[in-house]
Amino acid sequence: MTNTPTSYRSAQITLHWVVFAAIWVQWLFNEPMKRTIEAMQTGATPEGNDATMALVHVGFGSTILGGSGSGTQLSLALTH
């Protein structure tokens, strides 16, 4: 018989909220990303802070994809 945890560990809860925050940032900077891509495709210069916000969008997206591919959640599940 195995010991099944009855609650989540603090690392799991923290990871959940970090991922939630990163996805929220992705949603928040979605429109500037669209405008930047459209400007680049038409040969125009992105307006205002759109290019900076697009870089934030790309950075957080890369972090989300990199983190999910590294097996962080799996290693937490197997070791705790």
Side-chain angles (χ1 to χ4, degrees), residues 19-74:
V19 170
F20 172 82
I23 290 172
W24 182 77
V25 168
Q26 289 297 87
W27 177 79
L28 185 67
F29 292 127
N30 184 40
E31 287 300 318
M33 183 70 180
K34 288 180 186 177
R35 289 191 300 265
T36 299
I37 290 172
E38 186 176 306
M40 293 173 84
Q41 288 174 338
T42 61
T45 303
E47 294 183 20
N49 290 330
D50 281 354
T52 301
M53 289 187 253
L55 288 174
V56 170
H57 181 91
V58 169
F60 273 86
S62 299
T63 302
I64 291 169
L65 288 175
S68 65
S70 69
T72 303
Q73 295 150 336
L74 179 61

